[in-house]
Amino acid sequence: MFIFHSIQGYHAALQDGKTTCEEAVLFYLEKIENTKHLNAFVSIYAKETLESAKILDQNRKSGKQTGKLHGVVIGIKDVIAYKDHPLTASSGILKNFISIYNATAVEYLLQEEAIIIGHLNCDEFAMGSTNENSVYGDVLNALDETRVPGGSSGGSAVAVQAGLCMVSLGSDTGGSVRQPADFCGIVGFKPTYGKISRYGLIAYASSFDQIGIFAKNIPDVNVVLDVISGKDDFDSTYEFLPAKNAEINYNDFKDKKFKIAYFKDALNHPGLDPEINSTLSSFLKRLAEDGHEVHPINFDYLDYIVPAYYVLTTAESSSNLSRFDGVKFGYRSENKNLNLTDFYSESRSKGFGKEVKRRILLGTFVLSAGYFDAYFTKAQQIRKLLIDHTNLIFKDFDVILLPTAPTTAFKIGEKINDPISMYLADIYTVYANLVGIPAISLPLFNHSNGMPFGIQAMTTHFNELYLFQLSEILMQQYKSSENPPL
Ligand code: GLN
């Protein structure tokens, strides 16, 4: 039977003739079919995926050079454009929309011979933390189906968690890759802002958004990042820094020691689950005993980061989402007796879901003339303060460690009627997006409630290889052996 452990292992099996791309695709298609109730996929591209797999098998067998992601089966979040395929941001307003071009990341995946098996469910326009804001309905956490998978990239997380594809892409504006990875017990990585082109990624908050990667191990994240972070003239915020060494060879750096900072206030925060607190505290002690320099530091801004994030992202989203007006594309009101303003209003009221409307209204409010300085300008100032303070921290330390989320996966419905409490649960993830640094969630621990949880590591801009080395050390040396089986 087909088994997947890593891209490298899969490629070795292909070269040795022990498996084929076709066998891999058939395996995943069957598994997706058998786990439909998880609701991870919104579109499945079965026929064309099988055809591509057969072509790749023929090419490889005839001795053609293979791409870096040859036959790698990938799912992508329903906010990433794939030419001639549906793209809806899991929203009613984009129902039936077909993308007319490829996102740059998709273009790069295809160039390296990846197989895109389908689009994955998410919170509408990537707004949410539980995947409960999707027009296609909830996604279930495969480890406990009464719980959410996290969000907004819930489908992308479950697809990797439940083994429905090898790796997946999500988007991370304030934690939407790291938090669902944490809730599902897998690796979730958000690159430095500007590392991967945002061309073809449906915009939520453009100065925060990044495409991110879900996988079960670090080398897989590394190779996918290497492929999708190539140069792009379509995104002016993209920064091209060639990778120094795209290989991750554990033996080359396994004894490396790091200078690690953690925020005292983050661990002492009243919202943090006591068991997560005690596990992380003992883990930090162990790191110090093992020769890493581990220091608690003061960070006085923790309570400002969630408000600053929600002011800035809702402001940006109110502007970004103004293009969905029922005229150019997407859902439009069928009522022919409306004047233009009422037509916009009805199309948008019916097309968007509740959370998206809440954020557009909030964003419009914080940008309005009378409140601009009190909210938007203040939040920008906090963002600047955070960036400056972070630069100071990185003068003395290589790495910041934080929890990924304050609790393990919520029960379905637990927070949906309490948006403030839902927003506050983003306390540990939004920081990296506000300052633009790369961050990764590593599934190291298990809670006594049976759910996994991780730790989040961050480092300086464009220092992803360093982050992956640290991550690989933590995964190899500290990952709990009784991690849930899936
Ligand atoms: N939970 C956060 C929010 O709802 C993160 C979203 C994201 O990263 N796309 O805004």
Side-chain angles (χ1 to χ4, degrees), residues 307-364:
Y309 168 83
Y310 276 95
V311 168
L312 295 173
T313 53
T314 54
E316 291 190 28
S317 72
S318 72
S319 160
N320 274 329
L321 272 60
S322 63
R323 75 192 68 170
F324 303 103
D325 56 10
V327 176
K328 297 185 273 295
F329 44 75
Y331 173 79
R332 70 176 52 165
S333 165
E334 276 159 24
N335 188 341
K336 303 268 186 300
N337 302 318
L338 298 172
N339 65 31
L340 187 61
T341 311
D342 291 343
F343 167 82
Y344 284 151
S345 165
E346 192 169 301
S347 301
R348 285 165 67 81
S349 301
K350 286 199 175 147
F352 287 132
K354 196 169 163 188
E355 181 62 23
V356 171
K357 281 189 269 202
R358 179 165 22 233
R359 294 193 190 200
I360 293 174
L361 289 174
L362 195 57
T364 308

Short mmCIF file of all heavy atoms in Angstrom, two decimals, residues 307-364:
data_model
loop_
_atom_site.label_atom_id
_atom_site.label_comp_id
_atom_site.label_asym_id
_atom_site.label_seq_id
_atom_site.Cartn_x
_atom_site.Cartn_y
_atom_site.Cartn_z
N PRO A 307 -5.69 44.31 19.47
CA PRO A 307 -6.43 45.48 18.99
C PRO A 307 -5.77 46.14 17.76
O PRO A 307 -6.45 46.48 16.80
CB PRO A 307 -6.43 46.44 20.18
CG PRO A 307 -6.20 45.58 21.37
CD PRO A 307 -5.39 44.40 20.93
N ALA A 308 -4.43 46.27 17.80
CA ALA A 308 -3.77 46.91 16.66
C ALA A 308 -4.00 46.09 15.40
O ALA A 308 -4.30 46.61 14.33
CB ALA A 308 -2.27 47.05 16.93
N TYR A 309 -3.88 44.77 15.54
CA TYR A 309 -4.09 43.88 14.39
C TYR A 309 -5.50 44.03 13.83
O TYR A 309 -5.70 44.16 12.62
CB TYR A 309 -3.82 42.42 14.81
CG TYR A 309 -4.29 41.41 13.79
CD1 TYR A 309 -3.50 41.08 12.70
CD2 TYR A 309 -5.54 40.79 13.90
CE1 TYR A 309 -3.93 40.16 11.75
CE2 TYR A 309 -5.98 39.88 12.96
CZ TYR A 309 -5.18 39.57 11.88
OH TYR A 309 -5.62 38.68 10.94
N TYR A 310 -6.51 44.03 14.69
CA TYR A 310 -7.89 44.07 14.19
C TYR A 310 -8.26 45.45 13.63
O TYR A 310 -9.07 45.54 12.72
CB TYR A 310 -8.89 43.56 15.24
CG TYR A 310 -8.96 42.05 15.16
CD1 TYR A 310 -8.19 41.24 16.00
CD2 TYR A 310 -9.73 41.41 14.19
CE1 TYR A 310 -8.21 39.86 15.88
CE2 TYR A 310 -9.76 40.02 14.07
CZ TYR A 310 -9.00 39.26 14.90
OH TYR A 310 -9.00 37.89 14.78
N VAL A 311 -7.66 46.50 14.13
CA VAL A 311 -7.92 47.82 13.54
C VAL A 311 -7.30 47.87 12.14
O VAL A 311 -7.95 48.24 11.15
CB VAL A 311 -7.34 48.95 14.43
CG1 VAL A 311 -7.34 50.28 13.68
CG2 VAL A 311 -8.15 49.09 15.72
N LEU A 312 -6.04 47.46 12.04
CA LEU A 312 -5.35 47.59 10.75
C LEU A 312 -5.89 46.62 9.70
O LEU A 312 -6.08 46.99 8.54
CB LEU A 312 -3.84 47.38 10.93
CG LEU A 312 -3.16 48.45 11.80
CD1 LEU A 312 -1.70 48.08 12.07
CD2 LEU A 312 -3.23 49.82 11.13
N THR A 313 -6.13 45.38 10.10
CA THR A 313 -6.57 44.41 9.09
C THR A 313 -8.01 44.69 8.64
O THR A 313 -8.33 44.52 7.46
CB THR A 313 -6.47 42.95 9.58
OG1 THR A 313 -7.16 42.83 10.82
CG2 THR A 313 -5.03 42.52 9.73
N THR A 314 -8.86 45.13 9.54
CA THR A 314 -10.23 45.41 9.09
C THR A 314 -10.21 46.65 8.18
O THR A 314 -10.95 46.70 7.20
CB THR A 314 -11.21 45.62 10.27
OG1 THR A 314 -10.69 46.62 11.14
CG2 THR A 314 -11.45 44.33 11.02
N ALA A 315 -9.35 47.62 8.51
CA ALA A 315 -9.25 48.80 7.64
C ALA A 315 -8.81 48.37 6.23
O ALA A 315 -9.44 48.75 5.22
CB ALA A 315 -8.24 49.79 8.22
N GLU A 316 -7.78 47.56 6.16
CA GLU A 316 -7.30 47.12 4.84
C GLU A 316 -8.36 46.27 4.14
O GLU A 316 -8.55 46.37 2.92
CB GLU A 316 -5.99 46.34 4.98
CG GLU A 316 -4.83 47.24 5.41
CD GLU A 316 -3.46 46.54 5.32
OE1 GLU A 316 -3.29 45.62 4.50
OE2 GLU A 316 -2.58 46.93 6.09
N SER A 317 -9.06 45.44 4.91
CA SER A 317 -10.04 44.56 4.24
C SER A 317 -11.22 45.36 3.73
O SER A 317 -11.79 45.04 2.68
CB SER A 317 -10.48 43.43 5.16
OG SER A 317 -11.30 43.92 6.18
N SER A 318 -11.60 46.43 4.44
CA SER A 318 -12.76 47.20 3.96
C SER A 318 -12.44 47.80 2.60
O SER A 318 -13.31 47.93 1.73
CB SER A 318 -13.17 48.28 4.97
OG SER A 318 -12.23 49.32 5.00
N SER A 319 -11.18 48.14 2.40
CA SER A 319 -10.78 48.68 1.11
C SER A 319 -10.64 47.54 0.08
O SER A 319 -11.19 47.61 -1.02
CB SER A 319 -9.46 49.44 1.31
OG SER A 319 -8.80 49.59 0.11
N ASN A 320 -9.94 46.48 0.45
CA ASN A 320 -9.74 45.36 -0.49
C ASN A 320 -11.06 44.75 -0.98
O ASN A 320 -11.17 44.35 -2.13
CB ASN A 320 -8.90 44.27 0.18
CG ASN A 320 -7.41 44.52 0.05
OD1 ASN A 320 -6.96 45.11 -0.93
ND2 ASN A 320 -6.64 44.08 1.03
N LEU A 321 -12.01 44.63 -0.07
CA LEU A 321 -13.24 43.93 -0.44
C LEU A 321 -14.26 44.83 -1.13
O LEU A 321 -15.34 44.38 -1.52
CB LEU A 321 -13.86 43.22 0.77
CG LEU A 321 -13.33 41.80 0.99
CD1 LEU A 321 -11.85 41.74 1.23
CD2 LEU A 321 -14.07 41.08 2.12
N SER A 322 -13.89 46.11 -1.33
CA SER A 322 -14.84 46.99 -2.01
C SER A 322 -15.00 46.60 -3.48
O SER A 322 -15.97 46.96 -4.13
CB SER A 322 -14.41 48.46 -1.88
OG SER A 322 -13.18 48.63 -2.53
N ARG A 323 -14.04 45.82 -3.99
CA ARG A 323 -14.14 45.42 -5.41
C ARG A 323 -15.28 44.42 -5.64
O ARG A 323 -15.71 44.23 -6.76
CB ARG A 323 -12.81 44.85 -5.89
CG ARG A 323 -12.51 43.47 -5.39
CD ARG A 323 -11.08 43.05 -5.63
NE ARG A 323 -10.15 43.83 -4.81
CZ ARG A 323 -8.86 43.56 -4.67
NH1 ARG A 323 -8.32 42.56 -5.32
NH2 ARG A 323 -8.09 44.27 -3.90
N PHE A 324 -15.73 43.76 -4.58
CA PHE A 324 -16.81 42.78 -4.76
C PHE A 324 -18.14 43.52 -4.65
O PHE A 324 -18.72 43.65 -3.57
CB PHE A 324 -16.71 41.66 -3.71
CG PHE A 324 -15.37 40.97 -3.77
CD1 PHE A 324 -14.38 41.25 -2.85
CD2 PHE A 324 -15.09 40.08 -4.79
CE1 PHE A 324 -13.14 40.64 -2.92
CE2 PHE A 324 -13.84 39.46 -4.89
CZ PHE A 324 -12.87 39.75 -3.94
N ASP A 325 -18.61 44.04 -5.78
CA ASP A 325 -19.77 44.93 -5.75
C ASP A 325 -20.94 44.40 -6.57
O ASP A 325 -21.94 45.08 -6.75
CB ASP A 325 -19.35 46.33 -6.24
CG ASP A 325 -18.72 46.28 -7.63
OD1 ASP A 325 -18.79 45.21 -8.28
OD2 ASP A 325 -18.16 47.30 -8.06
N GLY A 326 -20.79 43.21 -7.12
CA GLY A 326 -21.90 42.64 -7.90
C GLY A 326 -21.88 43.09 -9.36
O GLY A 326 -22.66 42.60 -10.17
N VAL A 327 -20.99 44.00 -9.72
CA VAL A 327 -20.97 44.50 -11.09
C VAL A 327 -19.94 43.73 -11.91
O VAL A 327 -20.26 43.12 -12.93
CB VAL A 327 -20.64 46.01 -11.14
CG1 VAL A 327 -20.54 46.49 -12.60
CG2 VAL A 327 -21.70 46.80 -10.40
N LYS A 328 -18.72 43.71 -11.44
CA LYS A 328 -17.64 43.16 -12.27
C LYS A 328 -17.64 41.63 -12.28
O LYS A 328 -17.45 41.01 -13.32
CB LYS A 328 -16.29 43.69 -11.76
CG LYS A 328 -16.20 45.22 -11.91
CD LYS A 328 -14.86 45.77 -11.54
CE LYS A 328 -14.69 46.07 -10.07
NZ LYS A 328 -15.56 47.14 -9.55
N PHE A 329 -17.81 41.03 -11.14
CA PHE A 329 -17.87 39.56 -11.10
C PHE A 329 -18.53 39.15 -9.79
O PHE A 329 -18.76 39.97 -8.91
CB PHE A 329 -16.48 38.93 -11.23
CG PHE A 329 -15.42 39.58 -10.40
CD1 PHE A 329 -15.37 39.38 -9.04
CD2 PHE A 329 -14.49 40.45 -11.00
CE1 PHE A 329 -14.40 39.99 -8.27
CE2 PHE A 329 -13.52 41.06 -10.23
CZ PHE A 329 -13.47 40.84 -8.87
N GLY A 330 -18.80 37.88 -9.67
CA GLY A 330 -19.36 37.38 -8.42
C GLY A 330 -20.86 37.54 -8.34
O GLY A 330 -21.53 37.86 -9.33
N TYR A 331 -21.38 37.30 -7.13
CA TYR A 331 -22.84 37.33 -6.94
C TYR A 331 -23.39 38.72 -7.22
O TYR A 331 -22.81 39.73 -6.85
CB TYR A 331 -23.17 36.94 -5.49
CG TYR A 331 -24.63 37.12 -5.18
CD1 TYR A 331 -25.56 36.18 -5.60
CD2 TYR A 331 -25.07 38.27 -4.53
CE1 TYR A 331 -26.91 36.37 -5.36
CE2 TYR A 331 -26.43 38.46 -4.28
CZ TYR A 331 -27.33 37.51 -4.71
OH TYR A 331 -28.67 37.71 -4.48
N ARG A 332 -24.53 38.79 -7.90
CA ARG A 332 -25.21 40.07 -8.07
C ARG A 332 -26.70 39.90 -7.81
O ARG A 332 -27.28 38.85 -8.12
CB ARG A 332 -24.97 40.65 -9.46
CG ARG A 332 -25.64 39.92 -10.59
CD ARG A 332 -25.41 40.63 -11.89
NE ARG A 332 -23.98 40.89 -12.08
CZ ARG A 332 -23.45 41.23 -13.24
NH1 ARG A 332 -24.22 41.38 -14.29
NH2 ARG A 332 -22.16 41.44 -13.37
N SER A 333 -27.27 40.92 -7.24
CA SER A 333 -28.71 40.88 -6.95
C SER A 333 -29.48 40.74 -8.26
O SER A 333 -29.15 41.36 -9.27
CB SER A 333 -29.12 42.16 -6.24
OG SER A 333 -30.52 42.26 -6.28
N GLU A 334 -30.55 39.91 -8.23
CA GLU A 334 -31.34 39.75 -9.45
C GLU A 334 -32.48 40.75 -9.52
O GLU A 334 -33.23 40.79 -10.50
CB GLU A 334 -31.87 38.32 -9.52
CG GLU A 334 -30.82 37.41 -10.13
CD GLU A 334 -31.00 35.95 -9.82
OE1 GLU A 334 -32.15 35.55 -9.53
OE2 GLU A 334 -29.99 35.24 -9.86
N ASN A 335 -32.62 41.53 -8.48
CA ASN A 335 -33.70 42.52 -8.45
C ASN A 335 -33.41 43.65 -9.44
O ASN A 335 -32.48 44.43 -9.27
CB ASN A 335 -33.79 43.07 -7.01
CG ASN A 335 -34.99 43.95 -6.82
OD1 ASN A 335 -35.56 44.44 -7.81
ND2 ASN A 335 -35.38 44.15 -5.59
N LYS A 336 -34.24 43.74 -10.49
CA LYS A 336 -33.97 44.69 -11.57
C LYS A 336 -34.46 46.10 -11.26
O LYS A 336 -34.21 47.04 -12.00
CB LYS A 336 -34.66 44.24 -12.87
CG LYS A 336 -34.26 42.84 -13.34
CD LYS A 336 -33.08 42.93 -14.30
CE LYS A 336 -32.71 41.59 -14.92
NZ LYS A 336 -32.33 40.51 -14.03
N ASN A 337 -35.21 46.25 -10.15
CA ASN A 337 -35.82 47.55 -9.87
C ASN A 337 -35.02 48.42 -8.91
O ASN A 337 -35.54 49.37 -8.34
CB ASN A 337 -37.23 47.34 -9.27
CG ASN A 337 -38.07 46.53 -10.22
OD1 ASN A 337 -38.02 46.76 -11.44
ND2 ASN A 337 -38.79 45.55 -9.68
N LEU A 338 -33.75 48.11 -8.74
CA LEU A 338 -32.97 48.85 -7.75
C LEU A 338 -32.15 49.95 -8.41
O LEU A 338 -31.67 49.78 -9.54
CB LEU A 338 -32.00 47.90 -7.05
CG LEU A 338 -32.62 46.76 -6.25
CD1 LEU A 338 -31.53 45.79 -5.76
CD2 LEU A 338 -33.39 47.32 -5.06
N ASN A 339 -31.96 51.07 -7.69
CA ASN A 339 -30.99 52.04 -8.20
C ASN A 339 -29.59 51.51 -7.87
O ASN A 339 -29.45 50.49 -7.19
CB ASN A 339 -31.24 53.44 -7.62
CG ASN A 339 -31.01 53.47 -6.12
OD1 ASN A 339 -30.19 52.72 -5.60
ND2 ASN A 339 -31.75 54.32 -5.43
N LEU A 340 -28.55 52.17 -8.37
CA LEU A 340 -27.20 51.61 -8.28
C LEU A 340 -26.77 51.36 -6.83
O LEU A 340 -26.24 50.30 -6.49
CB LEU A 340 -26.20 52.52 -9.00
CG LEU A 340 -24.79 51.94 -9.11
CD1 LEU A 340 -24.78 50.64 -9.90
CD2 LEU A 340 -23.84 52.95 -9.76
N THR A 341 -27.03 52.35 -5.96
CA THR A 341 -26.59 52.21 -4.57
C THR A 341 -27.29 51.02 -3.90
O THR A 341 -26.65 50.21 -3.23
CB THR A 341 -26.92 53.51 -3.78
OG1 THR A 341 -26.42 54.60 -4.54
CG2 THR A 341 -26.29 53.50 -2.41
N ASP A 342 -28.59 50.91 -4.13
CA ASP A 342 -29.32 49.79 -3.52
C ASP A 342 -28.87 48.45 -4.12
O ASP A 342 -28.85 47.43 -3.45
CB ASP A 342 -30.83 49.97 -3.68
CG ASP A 342 -31.34 51.13 -2.84
OD1 ASP A 342 -30.59 51.55 -1.93
OD2 ASP A 342 -32.44 51.64 -3.12
N PHE A 343 -28.51 48.50 -5.40
CA PHE A 343 -28.02 47.28 -6.05
C PHE A 343 -26.71 46.80 -5.40
O PHE A 343 -26.56 45.63 -5.07
CB PHE A 343 -27.82 47.55 -7.55
CG PHE A 343 -27.03 46.48 -8.25
CD1 PHE A 343 -27.63 45.29 -8.67
CD2 PHE A 343 -25.66 46.65 -8.48
CE1 PHE A 343 -26.89 44.30 -9.29
CE2 PHE A 343 -24.92 45.66 -9.11
CZ PHE A 343 -25.53 44.48 -9.52
N TYR A 344 -25.78 47.76 -5.20
CA TYR A 344 -24.52 47.40 -4.50
C TYR A 344 -24.85 46.82 -3.13
O TYR A 344 -24.34 45.79 -2.72
CB TYR A 344 -23.66 48.65 -4.26
CG TYR A 344 -22.92 49.20 -5.44
CD1 TYR A 344 -22.63 50.57 -5.52
CD2 TYR A 344 -22.46 48.38 -6.47
CE1 TYR A 344 -21.94 51.11 -6.59
CE2 TYR A 344 -21.75 48.91 -7.54
CZ TYR A 344 -21.50 50.27 -7.60
OH TYR A 344 -20.80 50.79 -8.66
N SER A 345 -25.69 47.56 -2.45
CA SER A 345 -25.98 47.21 -1.07
C SER A 345 -26.61 45.81 -0.99
O SER A 345 -26.21 44.99 -0.17
CB SER A 345 -26.90 48.30 -0.50
OG SER A 345 -27.47 47.85 0.66
N GLU A 346 -27.56 45.54 -1.88
CA GLU A 346 -28.22 44.23 -1.81
C GLU A 346 -27.26 43.10 -2.23
O GLU A 346 -27.23 42.04 -1.61
CB GLU A 346 -29.47 44.20 -2.67
CG GLU A 346 -30.27 42.95 -2.35
CD GLU A 346 -31.66 42.93 -2.94
OE1 GLU A 346 -32.45 43.84 -2.63
OE2 GLU A 346 -31.94 42.00 -3.73
N SER A 347 -26.47 43.36 -3.27
CA SER A 347 -25.54 42.31 -3.72
C SER A 347 -24.55 41.98 -2.61
O SER A 347 -24.28 40.81 -2.32
CB SER A 347 -24.76 42.77 -4.96
OG SER A 347 -25.64 43.07 -6.00
N ARG A 348 -24.01 43.01 -1.98
CA ARG A 348 -23.00 42.78 -0.94
C ARG A 348 -23.63 42.20 0.32
O ARG A 348 -23.05 41.32 0.97
CB ARG A 348 -22.25 44.08 -0.63
CG ARG A 348 -21.25 44.44 -1.74
CD ARG A 348 -20.76 45.87 -1.64
NE ARG A 348 -19.93 46.15 -0.47
CZ ARG A 348 -18.64 45.88 -0.35
NH1 ARG A 348 -18.01 45.30 -1.34
NH2 ARG A 348 -17.97 46.21 0.74
N SER A 349 -24.83 42.67 0.67
CA SER A 349 -25.48 42.14 1.88
C SER A 349 -25.78 40.66 1.73
O SER A 349 -25.65 39.89 2.67
CB SER A 349 -26.79 42.87 2.15
OG SER A 349 -26.54 44.23 2.31
N LYS A 350 -26.20 40.27 0.53
CA LYS A 350 -26.53 38.85 0.34
C LYS A 350 -25.30 38.00 0.07
O LYS A 350 -25.26 36.83 0.44
CB LYS A 350 -27.51 38.71 -0.83
CG LYS A 350 -28.90 39.17 -0.46
CD LYS A 350 -29.93 38.62 -1.43
CE LYS A 350 -31.32 38.98 -0.98
NZ LYS A 350 -32.23 39.19 -2.11
N GLY A 351 -24.31 38.59 -0.60
CA GLY A 351 -23.14 37.80 -1.00
C GLY A 351 -22.19 37.50 0.13
O GLY A 351 -21.64 36.40 0.23
N PHE A 352 -21.98 38.47 1.01
CA PHE A 352 -21.02 38.28 2.11
C PHE A 352 -21.68 37.63 3.32
O PHE A 352 -22.85 37.89 3.61
CB PHE A 352 -20.46 39.63 2.56
CG PHE A 352 -19.48 40.27 1.61
CD1 PHE A 352 -19.62 41.61 1.26
CD2 PHE A 352 -18.41 39.57 1.10
CE1 PHE A 352 -18.72 42.23 0.41
CE2 PHE A 352 -17.49 40.18 0.25
CZ PHE A 352 -17.65 41.51 -0.09
N GLY A 353 -20.89 36.89 4.09
CA GLY A 353 -21.37 36.33 5.36
C GLY A 353 -21.19 37.32 6.50
O GLY A 353 -20.62 38.40 6.34
N LYS A 354 -21.65 36.88 7.68
CA LYS A 354 -21.74 37.77 8.84
C LYS A 354 -20.37 38.33 9.29
O LYS A 354 -20.24 39.53 9.54
CB LYS A 354 -22.35 36.94 9.97
CG LYS A 354 -22.87 37.70 11.12
CD LYS A 354 -23.67 36.74 12.01
CE LYS A 354 -23.85 37.35 13.39
NZ LYS A 354 -24.44 36.42 14.33
N GLU A 355 -19.37 37.45 9.39
CA GLU A 355 -18.07 37.90 9.91
C GLU A 355 -17.41 38.89 8.95
O GLU A 355 -16.83 39.89 9.36
CB GLU A 355 -17.16 36.70 10.17
CG GLU A 355 -15.78 37.06 10.73
CD GLU A 355 -15.84 37.75 12.09
OE1 GLU A 355 -16.84 37.59 12.82
OE2 GLU A 355 -14.88 38.47 12.42
N VAL A 356 -17.53 38.62 7.65
CA VAL A 356 -16.92 39.52 6.66
C VAL A 356 -17.61 40.88 6.74
O VAL A 356 -16.95 41.93 6.72
CB VAL A 356 -17.03 38.91 5.24
CG1 VAL A 356 -16.61 39.92 4.19
CG2 VAL A 356 -16.16 37.65 5.15
N LYS A 357 -18.92 40.88 6.88
CA LYS A 357 -19.62 42.17 6.98
C LYS A 357 -19.21 42.91 8.25
O LYS A 357 -19.01 44.12 8.23
CB LYS A 357 -21.14 41.92 6.97
CG LYS A 357 -21.64 41.67 5.54
CD LYS A 357 -23.13 41.64 5.44
CE LYS A 357 -23.64 40.26 5.62
NZ LYS A 357 -24.96 40.00 5.07
N ARG A 358 -19.06 42.15 9.34
CA ARG A 358 -18.65 42.80 10.60
C ARG A 358 -17.31 43.51 10.38
O ARG A 358 -17.10 44.64 10.79
CB ARG A 358 -18.51 41.72 11.68
CG ARG A 358 -18.06 42.30 12.98
CD ARG A 358 -18.22 41.40 14.21
NE ARG A 358 -18.29 40.00 13.98
CZ ARG A 358 -19.26 39.19 14.45
NH1 ARG A 358 -20.25 39.69 15.14
NH2 ARG A 358 -19.24 37.89 14.22
N ARG A 359 -16.39 42.83 9.68
CA ARG A 359 -15.04 43.42 9.51
C ARG A 359 -15.05 44.59 8.53
O ARG A 359 -14.32 45.56 8.72
CB ARG A 359 -14.06 42.34 9.08
CG ARG A 359 -13.90 41.31 10.19
CD ARG A 359 -12.73 40.41 9.97
NE ARG A 359 -12.76 39.31 10.93
CZ ARG A 359 -11.73 38.58 11.26
NH1 ARG A 359 -10.56 38.81 10.70
NH2 ARG A 359 -11.83 37.60 12.14
N ILE A 360 -15.87 44.50 7.49
CA ILE A 360 -15.94 45.64 6.56
C ILE A 360 -16.48 46.86 7.30
O ILE A 360 -15.96 47.98 7.16
CB ILE A 360 -16.82 45.29 5.34
CG1 ILE A 360 -16.14 44.20 4.49
CG2 ILE A 360 -17.09 46.53 4.49
CD1 ILE A 360 -16.99 43.67 3.35
N LEU A 361 -17.50 46.65 8.14
CA LEU A 361 -18.08 47.78 8.88
C LEU A 361 -17.06 48.35 9.86
O LEU A 361 -16.87 49.57 9.95
CB LEU A 361 -19.35 47.33 9.63
CG LEU A 361 -20.54 47.03 8.73
CD1 LEU A 361 -21.70 46.44 9.55
CD2 LEU A 361 -21.01 48.31 8.03
N LEU A 362 -16.39 47.46 10.58
CA LEU A 362 -15.39 47.91 11.54
C LEU A 362 -14.27 48.69 10.83
O LEU A 362 -13.85 49.76 11.29
CB LEU A 362 -14.80 46.66 12.24
CG LEU A 362 -14.00 46.84 13.50
CD1 LEU A 362 -14.82 47.55 14.56
CD2 LEU A 362 -13.59 45.45 14.04
N GLY A 363 -13.82 48.15 9.71
CA GLY A 363 -12.74 48.79 8.96
C GLY A 363 -13.16 50.14 8.41
O GLY A 363 -12.38 51.11 8.43
N THR A 364 -14.40 50.23 7.94
CA THR A 364 -14.90 51.51 7.41
C THR A 364 -14.97 52.53 8.55
O THR A 364 -14.60 53.70 8.39
CB THR A 364 -16.29 51.30 6.78
OG1 THR A 364 -16.19 50.21 5.86
CG2 THR A 364 -16.76 52.54 6.05
#
